[in-house]
Amino acid sequence: MLTLAAEICKLDGNTAYVDPYWDMMTIWVDYLVENGLHPANQLCTDDFAGHWAGNCNLAIKAIMGIAGYAEMAKMKGKDDVYQKYNAKAKEMAAAWEKETKVGDHYELAYGAGKDTWSQKYNMVWDKLWNTGIIPNDAMQTEIKYYLTKQNTYGLPLDCRKDYTKSDWIMWTAAMAPDADTFKKFVSPVYKYINETQSRVPISDWSDTKTGYMTGFKARSVIGGYWFRVLMDKVNPAPR
């Protein structure tokens, strides 16, 4: 909610959208400061994968929520609030990077081990906003690693299953450093949509080896396919 609200404010050029709810958002961001770095045993966005304690992607989501709150505070002219929460987001991101790196990538959950991995698609806000929250080029470290894990019909959501969420792949693809790398993620998704034998409106939850839908169809989350379009609209510099 905080990241989406921040993006709405950036697109509007003002904070009118969030002004009536600022006190509530402050409660939310303080909760994330207290609990976001090491998430408890809970569902993440991908609830079908079940509960998981210390989910590393969920921690990034919390950190970018804090960064989003800081960005809105800056737009409101609350420079002291911006400095406080921007610094906290960077502090938490530095701790995250140090605690979760396992060789050439970042693990699925704290302590899960070097053989685990997951798409850290929530990092994409850092690139969209040019906030510099995530340190040590962690985003591109992940992108390079993901390219070694792709299957015929896309990048799995994480190491536990062959299924994926194609909207999240498109968020991950938007983190790519150049157009050629971006296409390496997008091409398998296109192949899935073009070749799947599941005769339904696009399923965002599918098997990356068989090309069949796993579940879901015709959902609004397909809007996530256009994240790169949003990125180019907001910051049209060459990528």
Side-chain angles (χ1 to χ4, degrees), residues 120-121 123-124 127 139-140 143 146 171-177:
K120 311 299 191 303
Y121 50 81
M123 288 183 178
V124 74
K127 183 176 181 180
M139 189 182 300
Q140 298 313 315
I143 288 293
Y146 298 155
W171 281 40
T172 293
M175 303 189 312

Side-chain angles (χ1 to χ4, degrees), residues 67-117:
Y69 178 88
E71 291 295 296
M72 290 185 286
K74 180 166 62 175
M75 293 184 70
K76 289 171 69 68
K78 296 178 176 291
D79 291 339
D80 56 335
V81 176
Y82 163 74
Q83 294 292 342
K84 174 184 176 181
Y85 288 97
N86 186 67
K88 176 55 69 172
K90 288 183 176 180
E91 174 190 319
M92 292 171 67
W96 179 93
E97 196 275 336
K98 182 178 179 180
E99 293 179 32
T100 64
K101 190 170 187 181
V102 283
D104 58 354
H105 67 284
Y106 298 85
E107 58 193 343
L108 169 66
Y110 290 92
K114 63 182 179 63
D115 294 329
T116 70
W117 64 275

Side-chain angles (χ1 to χ4, degrees), residues 7 15 27 31 63 65 76-77 93 139 156-158 192 207:
E7 182 56 25
T15 62
I27 293 173
Y31 176 87
I63 291 167
K76 289 171 69 68
M139 189 182 300
L157 189 61
D158 58 46
Y192 149 65
D207 190 288

Side-chain angles (χ1 to χ4, degrees), residues 28-39:
W28 290 355
V29 75
D30 287 339
Y31 176 87
L32 294 180
V33 167
E34 184 70 23
N35 301 283
L37 181 57
H38 298 101

Side-chain angles (χ1 to χ4, degrees), residues 50 80 109 112 131 182 187 202:
D80 56 335
T131 38
F182 173 78
S187 294
I202 298 174

Side-chain angles (χ1 to χ4, degrees), residues 214-228:
T214 301
F216 307 153
K217 60 184 179 181
R219 298 205 308 158
S220 59
V221 300
I222 293 299
Y225 283 14
W226 280 266
F227 204 107
R228 171 65 185 267

